[in-house]
Each structure stands twice: as C-alpha cells, then as structure tokens.
Amino acid sequence: MTTPHAEVILSMPGIGPILGAEFIAHTGGDMSVFGSPDRLAGVASLAPVPKDSGRVSGNMRRPRRYCRRLLRVFYMSAQVAARCCPTSKAFYDRKKTEGKGHKQAIIALARRRLNVLWALIRDGRTFEITAPPSPVTLG
C-alpha cells in the first residue's frame, strides 16, 4: 500500500495488507470526509440507530444503508485481535463476562478498534501493544 496512513493502519493487530487495502479502498484514505469516528462507525454499521415508535423506546437496529465491506474489515480484524492481541482479548473477555454473546462482544470490539484506528490516524502514530491493567486488590 502506498498511502500516507499505510504504516499506521498495518500496525493495528488483526489488520494485514488485504484488510488494510480494503479499508483504504472503502474510506478513500481521507478520514476528513467522515468528520468523526461516530460517522465512520455509522457508515460501517457499527453504530446502531434508534428504532423507537410511540411508547416503545430503547430499541436499536442496524442502519438500512451501510458499507458491508467496511463492516467486514472491522469484524474480521476484531476476530483475529480477540485471539492474538492481549489488550483486545481483555476487552473481549470483559464483554463476555458482562453477559454478551460472541457476536455482540466481537462487534463491541470492532467498534472500539475503529475508535483506536481513528485516533492513531489522527495523531499519526503507530499502535503499540501494552499489557492490560491488572486489577487492584485492596487489603
């Protein structure tokens, strides 16, 4: 890939040359088009939209229009990162202990990774793996 953000994108665990190229192809390589990570998450269908009517509130659904390929990039990278990256594995395990199913936990991880990738591209720095914080014991 020959784009200014190639090194940053490829530094994320779970995003290799193929998924990185798909990400660049579907975003155009210019993040300013989206304006915010929330807008990008909406395009990738990682941000649910409300489906409220009348007295019913709190129902969320997938947007009608979204980029399936962009969703695939983040979903597949989250699948790999949940097994290989210690930080992502800790986040995935936390979501599972909260009672979420596998698919819900992976989608939550994909959204988290989208936000991290956005911040890395914005700041122009590469991903660095750090150990997840250990629980503090009192006593």
Side-chain angles (χ1 to χ4, degrees):
M1 287 191 307
T2 57
T3 182
H5 306 300
E7 183 181 351
V8 175
I9 294 167
L10 292 176
S11 71
M12 282 283 288
I15 297 183
I18 294 174
L19 288 178
E22 281 188 44
F23 174 75
I24 293 295
H26 293 291
T27 59
D30 184 17
M31 305 313 284
S32 64
V33 171
F34 297 102
S36 72
D38 298 331
R39 186 73 160 266
L40 178 60
V43 170
S45 186
L46 290 172
V49 296
K51 183 186 176 184
D52 300 338
S53 69
R55 287 181 257 166
V56 178
S57 65
N59 290 334
M60 304 300 258
R61 65 171 175 81
R62 173 174 280 155
R64 292 186 195 278
R65 295 175 51 125
Y66 63 95
C67 180
R68 286 168 172 76
R69 297 284 181 143
L70 199 53
L71 174 62
R72 180 185 169 278
V73 166
F74 286 106
Y75 190 86
M76 295 300 288
S77 71
Q79 288 265 26
V80 172
R83 288 181 291 150
C84 302
C85 175
T87 308
S88 297
K89 183 167 178 38
F91 182 84
Y92 173 80
D93 291 339
R94 189 176 87 222
K95 290 296 173 185
K96 289 290 283 184
T97 57
E98 289 175 6
K100 302 220 182 289
H102 170 73
K103 192 171 183 179
Q104 289 176 317
I106 289 292
I107 288 174
L109 177 59
R111 173 61 191 263
R112 167 66 65 92
R113 291 172 53 79
L114 182 143
N115 290 341
V116 169
L117 184 59
W118 179 277
L120 291 175
I121 290 173
R122 180 194 64 209
D123 299 342
R125 47 189 192 102
T126 59
F127 185 84
E128 297 157 8
I129 296 178
T130 58
S134 60
V136 178
T137 57
L138 301 173

